């Protein structure tokens, strides 16, 4: 069945360093969504990408959707302590979303 | 103040007891979902409902049951048949039946511990 793989599982960076998490699907996706979950909190929607090769920015966050629509990435420039949490990608499967396992980001100040 | 509420935040039960987790939304969303979250495994779909009085099994439905008698409510029962029920349970909703293309809004979650 469709799987959404996410790497790395965990990353610990120094404040000010960049961070990237990658998402790969075994099948072509019609869209991909990204969510952030703060420690002790619940997932919050960040963005949805639909078009092949699409790039969207939200302040220091840059989201990309691959040309083949099977992979995506989230890049954070100059991380801050407020960026800590788990970042999930999610791709559609019928009327459901399949979530990646998430990348846990820790930031050392 | 619109949103999704789940109660309680923490729940403790003895092994062998059924327990029902509540989920209420006032966003007027058609679709609702229940996920289970375990460390390192992301979110796994238990059940989902696209419309009142209808619901479908997700990937890990065994040992769980749901009902959708009202649009705003989607309670989840963790039965004694669930072999490893201790987990963080998240309820979510999305605006319509195109759940895979609409963002999902999550409740604050219920952390269930079975002793």
């Amino acid at each position: 069945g469709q799987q959404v793989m996410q790497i790395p599982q965990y990353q610990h960076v120094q404040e000010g360093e960049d961070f990237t998490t990658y998402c790969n699907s075994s099948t072509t996706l019609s869209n991909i969504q990204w969510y952030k979950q703060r420690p002790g909190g619940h997932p919050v929607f960040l963005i949805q990408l639909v078009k092949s090769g699409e790039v969207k920015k939200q302040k220091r966050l840059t989201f990309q959707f691959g040309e083949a629509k099977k992979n995506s990435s989230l890049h954070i420039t100059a991380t801050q302590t407020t960026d800590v949490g788990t970042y999930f990608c999610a791709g559609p499967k019928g009327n459901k979303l399949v979530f990646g396992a998430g990348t846990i980001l820790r930031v050392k100040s | 103040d619109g949103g999704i509420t789940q109660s309680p935040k923490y729940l403790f039960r003895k092994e062998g007891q059924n327990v029902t987790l509540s989920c209420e939304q006032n966003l007027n969303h058609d679709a609702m979902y229940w996920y289970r979250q375990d460390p390192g495994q992301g979110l796994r779909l238990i059940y989902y409902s696209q419309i009142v009085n209808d619901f479908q099994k997700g990937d890990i439905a065994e040992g769980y049951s749901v009902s959708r008698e009202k649009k705003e409510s989607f309670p989840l029962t963790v039965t004694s048949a669930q072999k490893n029920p201790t987990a963080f349970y998240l309820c979510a909703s999305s605006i319509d039946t195109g759940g895979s293309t609409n963002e999902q809004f999550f409740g604050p979650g219920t952390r269930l511990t079975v002793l």
Side-chain angles (χ1 to χ4, degrees):
Chain A
Q2 178 186 325
Q3 291 187 332
V4 176
M5 309 300 292
Q6 204 172 341
I7 56 170
Q9 183 178 356
Y10 181 85
Q11 190 150 12
H12 201 171
V13 301
Q14 189 72 39
E15 188 174 20
E17 291 181 341
D18 292 356
F19 159 78
T20 305
T21 174
Y22 300 90
C23 185
N24 293 286
S25 170
S26 55
T27 60
T28 301
L29 301 171
S30 59
N31 69 81
I32 193 156
Q33 299 180 12
W34 285 91
Y35 292 78
K36 176 184 178 180
Q37 184 177 21
R38 295 182 184 274
H42 58 276
V44 174
F45 175 81
L46 293 176
I47 207 162
Q48 178 173 268
L49 305 173
V50 179
K51 298 177 183 176
S52 169
E54 188 170 15
V55 178
K56 287 188 176 180
K57 291 190 176 184
Q58 291 179 349
K59 298 182 180 178
R60 293 177 295 103
L61 277 61
T62 302
F63 303 84
Q64 292 189 344
F65 200 10
E67 294 289 341
K69 301 183 76 173
K70 295 179 72 172
N71 57 73
S72 180
S73 65
L74 159 58
H75 179 82
I76 302 178
T77 304
T79 56
Q80 300 176 357
T81 54
T82 53
D83 294 325
V84 297
T86 304
Y87 293 85
F88 295 98
C89 62
K93 179 181 179 181
N95 284 321
K96 304 176 290 184
L97 275 179
V98 176
F99 283 82
T103 295
I104 300 171
L105 173 63
R106 292 289 177 258
V107 180
K108 292 181 288 186
S109 60
Chain B
D1 191 23
I4 302 178
T5 57
Q6 291 184 244
S7 62
K9 188 171 184 179
Y10 298 96
L11 188 57
F12 296 88
R13 279 294 182 269
K14 292 184 178 180
E15 192 173 346
Q17 291 181 334
N18 291 355
V19 59
T20 298
L21 312 183
S22 76
C23 177
E24 303 279 332
Q25 55 100 357
N26 61 4
L27 300 169
N28 200 34
H29 285 174
D30 284 322
M32 297 187 74
Y33 313 82
W34 272 105
Y35 294 93
R36 171 185 172 133
Q37 186 173 33
D38 296 284
Q41 294 195 45
L43 305 175
R44 292 186 291 168
L45 183 65
I46 304 172
Y47 267 98
Y48 66 105
S49 169
Q50 297 175 292
I51 199 167
V52 175
N53 292 322
D54 186 45
F55 48 83
Q56 286 82 40
K57 292 181 179 180
D59 300 317
I60 55 165
E62 185 175 351
Y64 300 97
S65 65
V66 294
S67 63
R68 186 88 186 275
E69 297 176 1
K70 298 186 295 182
K71 185 176 185 177
E72 55 271 22
S73 179
F74 191 40
L76 172 74
T77 297
V78 184
T79 75
S80 57
Q82 169 50 232
K83 294 177 181 172
N84 186 19
T86 295
F88 187 46
Y89 290 89
L90 286 157
C91 179
S93 71
S94 63
I95 193 166
D96 59 25
T97 55
S100 63
T101 58
N102 297 304
E103 66 179 279
Q104 293 189 8
F105 294 79
F106 285 83
T110 293
R111 195 166 297 276
L112 173 65
T113 302
V114 176
L115 306 172

